[in-house]
Amino acid sequence: MRRAADIPLQNESHKYLDERTLGFLKHLSFAARGTVDGAYTGKHKSLLKGHSQEFTDYREYLPGDDIRKIDWKVYGRTDRYVIKLCEQETVMTCYLLVDCSASMAFGGSWHEKYFGAQDVSKYDYACYLSAALSYLLLKQGDRVSLTLFGSEVEHHIPAGSTFSHLSGILRALEAQKVHHKTSLSKVLQQASSLLKRRGILIVISDLMDDPEALFSVLDMYLYRNFEVVLFQVLHKHELELPSLPNANFIDSESGEKLTSVPDDIRQAYSRELQQYIDTLVAMAEARRIDYELMSTETPYPEALQGYMERRRRRCGFS
Amino acid sequence: MRILLGNILFANPALAVGVFALAVPLVIHLLTRRTPRSIIFPSLRFLKAARAHQSRRYNLRHILLLLVRTAVLALILLAFLRPSLMQGGGRKQDSQAGRATVILMDVSASMEYRYAGVSPLSQAKAVATALLDHYGKADRFNLIRMGATPDSSFDEPSDNLFLLRRDIRDASVRHECPDIGAAIAEATSQLKEAAGSKHICFISDFQRTNWSSADFSRIEPDIELMFMPVGPEAAENCAVTEVAIRPGAPTVSEDIEIVCKVANYSDRPHRLPIELRFQDSESFKQELEIEPQSTVSTGFHLRINQSGRYEGRVFIPEDGLEIDNQRHFILSVAEKVGVLVVTDEDRTREQSGVRLLINAINPFQENRLAAAVATVVPSNELTAATLSAAQVVVVSDIHELSRRSGQALLDYLRSGGSVVYFHVSPAGSQNLDHLATWSEGNLTLPFKLTSQIDLSPQGRHASLGQANFDNDILRKFRESPELSELKFRRFFSTDRVKQKGQILLQYDDGNIAMAQTTVGGGTLLLCNFSCSLNCSDLARNTLFVPLIHEIIKGLRPSVGHRNAFLVGEPCYTTIEPVADAESVVFKRPSGEPVEGNLDKGPSGTAVFFPKTTTCGFYRAYIGEKVAGSVAVNVDPLESNLEKLDVSQLKELSKAGPRAAFLASADAAGIEALLEGRPLWHYLLLAAIGMLCLEQVLTIVLRQ
């Protein structure tokens, strides 16, 4: 019998997770790249051996699977090769760090009014992403933690594995206001004490920080055998400046102003931004950190699915 | 009202108010920079980096376009101001005082040159008229015709255009050489007190021979100059430039040569017929071939069997300048050689040297048989008139010469006359010194007379020790022993002045007996002896008469002088004595009466024509008969039509920026000179070019 806590979002409506998304996420899974450290048995490979095995489910045999896991009885009955899934995998803990600094507020209703097209802010996009990932991970029995940060940790929800935990995450995301400046590397350092057990660290931010400082802190997590995933969320008008005759740009965090004609500086801006992104990519690749650039113009389910497929290929999973 | 800024004249300066339109591009530029929309942007980090990279290009693009657009408007505005490029000397900005202009019009003979149906004078008139057509309200003009003396229409610049136009229309060529310096001085003087801007306008063919010595330094610095060349760039002209008679004073039946010089002032050779003609007489013809830019001489040989004065002409076919295609001259053929004996001695004395001298000159009883005839005058009657008829003057035994007589003698010598001076008389040494002093360097005696030698008391004599038989006078006596047999008792001791004159005879004691020296164009033969029997036995010797005749013959001028005069200068001649009862009428070549004067003397009457204005024969009539005539010709300098070009005029005038030069002697050229060269179309073209540039810049910089 399934516990209420195990029934997703029963009788609840949430901004960042709806039925449609749930249906989309049903077929996705988030796997750990390496072994995880978990106190509980889960889907993921564990460092620990010799634990009692509890049969949980079958799945189709795929070439490469361990033939010792083939359930011959099912084969005798059905002439199908299936694998017994046992709870010999350990539960994975995933730490979501979501940026809620002022820079993440870019986009959304103001853009819709001015440019006359549907738009989503970076924070909203990050929240959609976080919600989807949270559900995904909780669905597969992993544990999810949420940390909201600006210039420091704003809100932290320790890891949990129930769907009521998911509701808490969703409510926290919905309630959070974006403000404050960004100081990602400082927050990562601060959060180190909160993220005790190794797992997957997923940072969802616009990553507007000094790359050297950022990766220096991430190196610390890598040293602790964390798997790090970076989702850089940028608005389409950050990736390419809007077409305006004259614009007075105001820094969302410092309030500094700069007047310019976007047409005149578009190419140079793109060059500068691309250079920064290339730096992040290179530094992430060097550390085998997953880096994914996400534009708010791309629907997040599509972006997430794309990432999942790429991740699966990288991890060698089917 | 026009405004002159430097050399640019703006005809529509009022439109300068349009300068405010130049602000339009700037205003548009500022307005198109719309109010910036505020966008709260995540981070200015990359914007700042991009802006730093792009700002220079952004500024450059906008500044360039702003400049180009402003330039387009500025050029269009300038074009509407109607600017013109003025040369120095052109029209000044309008002012109440206006412009005072003196037009100096060349009316010399060369302005008569005809080419393509026009002459430089007709062009000059058109140019002068065009100048008056640009008359402004307060402008004043004056016209000075440049002749031997400047001929001014008014005493000062005037606004009486009617009379000015009439004077321009009626201006005619004068065959005299223009006195440019006098014309410039007159113009400068007239402009001295003139109000407003001052201008002198030279309209001429700027003949090199006349203008190369023009002095512009006396023109005040505040006077602007305008040079308006008229006439063809290269004019071809052939001219008879000189007629000379050899010998200068021929006698009846003597071989005469009329030497004619013909000049070819063109760049191609010419083959010309040349004709010599005397009035109502046959003509003599020849063919001449003359190389480019050269002169040839040719001679006509003839004999005249009757004495008299003959009016002769030498002419070549007419060309562009007709006045110099013929030359007039007077050929005087004397019956005898006229010898003027100047003496103060009593000729009635038996042993009078002068008497013996006169007898030697004409040994015949009847003059008709004589080759030479002596006329005797005392020294105080020595004048230009008495000297003019003489071919040789013999001076012997005279008192102290007066200054007037001495000057007349010197003038006679300078103009080519010949004088024989027997100076043994007491006043001889003194007279020679006076003549040397009055000559102002023309006469340097070949010897100095120191003291009188008289050998007769001792019963001694001197003989001739040396003789120069190469000289024409003594050549025939080379083989004659009689020369050395002559005895001389009274003479002057002499100190030789080295390298002066030529020694012909020397006494055996070293003193000089006869010497010859030149004075101007003439010859002075100094004889340190006397024909008087008291002084020598020369008159007793058989070689006395031939010696005197050889002296006369050797001293006769080889080239005649003043067979003609130049237009503009006073001219004179001598005629037979005129009785008081007779009236003399003077006429110009056209037959119209002209001013003339008479100076009656015992041996002849001098006729003066103080003012000649045209070429031909000026005649003095007694009744219907021509008593005498003078030939007047154009100055041969007028025949060379080579002109000074603009650069040479600039160099000559040294006027710098205050001189303007007419490019072409037509309405367009005058318009350009006075109103300036319009620039508005250049400005519009530049504006169009700027518009094209703006389009190119917009495309290029956008890319």
Side-chain angles (χ1 to χ4, degrees), chain B residues 1-4 9 91-98 136 139:
Chain B
M1 178 168 167
R2 302 176 189 214
I3 288 178
L4 184 70
L9 176 74
R91 190 176 184 87
K92 286 287 190 187
Q93 63 197 61
D94 289 342
S95 66
Q96 285 189 342
D139 291 350

Side-chain angles (χ1 to χ4, degrees), chain A residues 161-205:
Chain A
S161 61
T162 63
F163 282 108
S164 61
H165 182 71
L166 176 62
S167 295
I169 288 172
L170 293 173
R171 279 196 294 276
L173 288 172
E174 288 163 19
Q176 182 63 38
K177 301 278 182 233
V178 284
H179 56 93
H180 301 304
K181 297 184 178 181
T182 306
S183 184
L184 179 56
S185 46
K186 179 181 161 195
V187 162
L188 283 170
Q189 260 188 331
Q190 251 182 356
S192 174
S193 57
L194 298 171
L195 313 180
K196 292 189 175 63
R197 199 183 283 273
R198 77 175 187 187
I200 296 178
L201 175 65
I202 299 177
V203 180
I204 304 174
S205 169

Side-chain angles (χ1 to χ4, degrees), chain B residues 146-162:
Chain B
M146 291 192 286
T149 54
D151 181 15
S152 183
S153 292
F154 303 105
D155 292 335
E156 59 183 12
S158 162
D159 58 0
N160 190 339
L161 292 195
F162 176 77

Side-chain angles (χ1 to χ4, degrees), chain A residues 106 110 114 122 209 237-238 244 246-252 256 258-259 264 268-269 271-273 276, chain B residues 33-51 53-54 58 61-62:
Chain A
F106 189 65
W110 186 89
Y114 190 77
K122 289 195 298 185
D209 200 354
H237 285 158
E238 274 183 290
L244 289 170
N246 205 4
N248 187 18
F249 296 97
I250 304 171
D251 191 299
S252 57
E256 190 181 344
L258 184 143
T259 304
D264 289 345
Y269 170 84
R271 253 197 320 273
E272 294 293 328
L273 179 65
Y276 177 72
Chain B
R33 290 171 56 190
R34 297 182 198 173
T35 307
R37 191 153 193 123
S38 291
I39 298 180
I40 298 175
F41 207 72
S43 173
L44 298 188
R45 172 178 169 179
F46 304 112
L47 287 170
K48 281 188 203 173
R51 195 166 176 236
H53 198 70
Q54 289 288 86
Y58 167 83
R61 178 182 127 191
H62 284 270

Side-chain angles (χ1 to χ4, degrees), chain B residues 410-463:
Chain B
L410 285 168
D411 291 340
Y412 174 79
L413 275 165
R414 287 192 194 106
S415 61
S418 301
V419 174
V420 183
Y421 191 178
F422 294 93
H423 56 74
V424 191
S425 64
S429 172
Q430 217 170 355
N431 285 335
L432 285 178
D433 287 341
H434 284 322
L435 285 172
T437 305
W438 295 334
S439 73
E440 293 175 353
N442 283 155
L443 169 60
T444 306
L445 297 168
F447 51 77
K448 210 171 155 42
L449 300 175
T450 50
S451 58
Q452 218 165 5
I453 297 173
D454 190 352
L455 298 175
S456 46
Q458 293 110 29
R460 293 194 293 123
H461 62 271
S463 299

Side-chain angles (χ1 to χ4, degrees), chain A residues 100-168:
Chain A
C100 62
S101 62
S103 63
M104 294 295 287
F106 189 65
S109 55
W110 186 89
H111 276 69
E112 282 178 356
K113 276 188 208 161
Y114 190 77
F115 293 101
Q118 272 191 331
D119 195 72
V120 63
S121 70
K122 289 195 298 185
Y123 178 71
D124 284 343
Y125 194 91
C127 289
Y128 281 119
L129 213 56
S130 305
L133 282 168
S134 299
Y135 173 76
L136 203 62
L137 289 159
L138 288 171
K139 178 174 75 71
Q140 61 190 37
D142 290 320
R143 289 151 56 84
V144 177
S145 160
L146 175 70
T147 306
L148 297 167
F149 67 91
S151 56
E152 58 186 10
V153 173
E154 294 284 320
H155 189 77
H156 175 69
I157 300 176
S161 61
T162 63
F163 282 108
S164 61
H165 182 71
L166 176 62
S167 295

Side-chain angles (χ1 to χ4, degrees), chain A residues 231-302:
Chain A
F231 286 121
Q232 184 177 25
V233 178
L234 294 177
H235 194 273
K236 62 180 179 181
H237 285 158
E238 274 183 290
L239 291 168
E240 186 163 339
L241 291 176
S243 183
L244 289 170
N246 205 4
N248 187 18
F249 296 97
I250 304 171
D251 191 299
S252 57
E253 294 181 9
S254 66
E256 190 181 344
K257 290 182 186 173
L258 184 143
T259 304
S260 185
V261 177
D263 285 343
D264 289 345
I265 60 171
R266 178 169 290 110
Q267 274 186 4
Y269 170 84
S270 297
R271 253 197 320 273
E272 294 293 328
L273 179 65
Q274 188 59 48
Q275 206 173 338
Y276 177 72
I277 293 170
D278 291 342
T279 305
L280 291 175
V281 168
M283 292 179 92
E285 269 184 18
R287 292 160 175 80
R288 294 191 70 212
I289 293 174
D290 273 0
Y291 166 87
E292 193 73 16
L293 173 64
M294 293 193 168
S295 165
T296 58
E297 199 172 19
T298 308
Y300 78 91
E302 191 182 310

